[in-house]
Amino acid sequence: MNRDESGLTLVEVLATLTIFAIVSVIIWSVFFQGYNFSQKAISKNQMQQETNLLITNLLKIHQSAKQYNIINTSSNCEITVNITNKDNSTRTEIFNHSNMCFKFEIKNAITNPVVPNRAGNDVQLKLTTSDKKDPNNKIAIDTFLYRVKGVKYQ
């Protein structure tokens, strides 16, 4: 027999494949963990933007309406606002999103319907926005709906 033969034994090949598989699984899991974190961060950013838009719209309603009634429709994750304008006309605005669920809680002693003209009728709201796909991915924002004294709102 020739002792100068070079090559790999079956044990060396199996050991190499095992080490390669372990390293590949670790790299793969780190990649997907980073991807999932990135998706959750993107979702939180979108929820923050949608909640800020909702707050802006509710503030406009609070500053321009004679009175309004705000309703939580939890079955389809939307907020409905029934508005009575200064000319006594009424309209309804519905705030919803295809991927997000909106909920609110009035934190102070204001009752529905809200009459913003009365003194001390600033509304303290806690708005919660959650992802419909992952309800644990949510944000909550405490905010005030207010009117500035001395300003003539239209």
Side-chain angles (χ1 to χ4, degrees):
M1 294 185 90
N2 198 359
R3 301 247 181 220
D4 292 336
E5 292 180 25
S6 61
L8 297 174
T9 64
L10 182 59
V11 173
E12 292 171 331
V13 170
L14 288 175
T16 303
L17 286 175
T18 303
I19 291 170
F20 178 73
I22 291 171
V23 169
S24 296
V25 165
I26 291 171
I27 290 172
W28 194 259
S29 67
V30 167
F31 172 75
F32 274 110
Q33 221 174 13
Y35 177 77
N36 288 337
F37 179 77
S38 173
Q39 291 299 89
K40 192 177 263 191
I42 289 169
S43 176
K44 279 204 186 274
N45 189 23
Q46 289 173 341
M47 286 188 292
Q48 179 76 40
Q49 290 175 352
E50 288 295 324
T51 305
N52 287 340
L53 182 62
L54 177 60
I55 290 169
T56 301
N57 289 328
L58 289 174
L59 184 59
K60 285 180 185 177
I61 290 169
H62 184 81
Q63 291 178 344
S64 64
K66 180 179 176 183
Q67 73 177 32
Y68 61 92
N69 194 5
I70 185 167
I71 303 163
N72 229 352
T73 312
S74 60
S75 61
N76 48 2
C77 296
E78 65 186 23
I79 294 176
T80 304
V81 183
N82 299 319
I83 305 161
T84 303
N85 295 318
K86 291 183 180 176
D87 61 356
N88 288 327
S89 63
T90 59
R91 72 180 198 275
T92 300
E93 288 199 29
I94 298 172
F95 300 101
N96 58 13
H97 194 277
S98 59
N99 298 327
M100 296 175 204
C101 188
F102 297 122
K103 293 181 182 165
F104 78 92
E105 176 186 350
I106 296 177
K107 302 289 277 184
N108 53 353
I110 301 297
T111 58
N112 271 325
V114 177
V115 183
N117 285 341
R118 293 186 189 150
N121 262 6
D122 292 346
V123 178
Q124 183 180 2
L125 283 179
K126 179 178 182 180
L127 289 169
T128 305
T129 305
S130 61
D131 192 351
K132 284 185 179 177
K133 295 175 189 170
D134 181 13
N136 292 327
N137 189 16
K138 61 184 171 184
I139 63 165
I141 297 178
D142 287 322
T143 188
F144 276 96
L145 304 179
Y146 59 89
R147 282 191 168 188
V148 178
K149 292 181 182 177
V151 175
K152 297 284 186 188
Y153 292 101
Q154 300 184 19

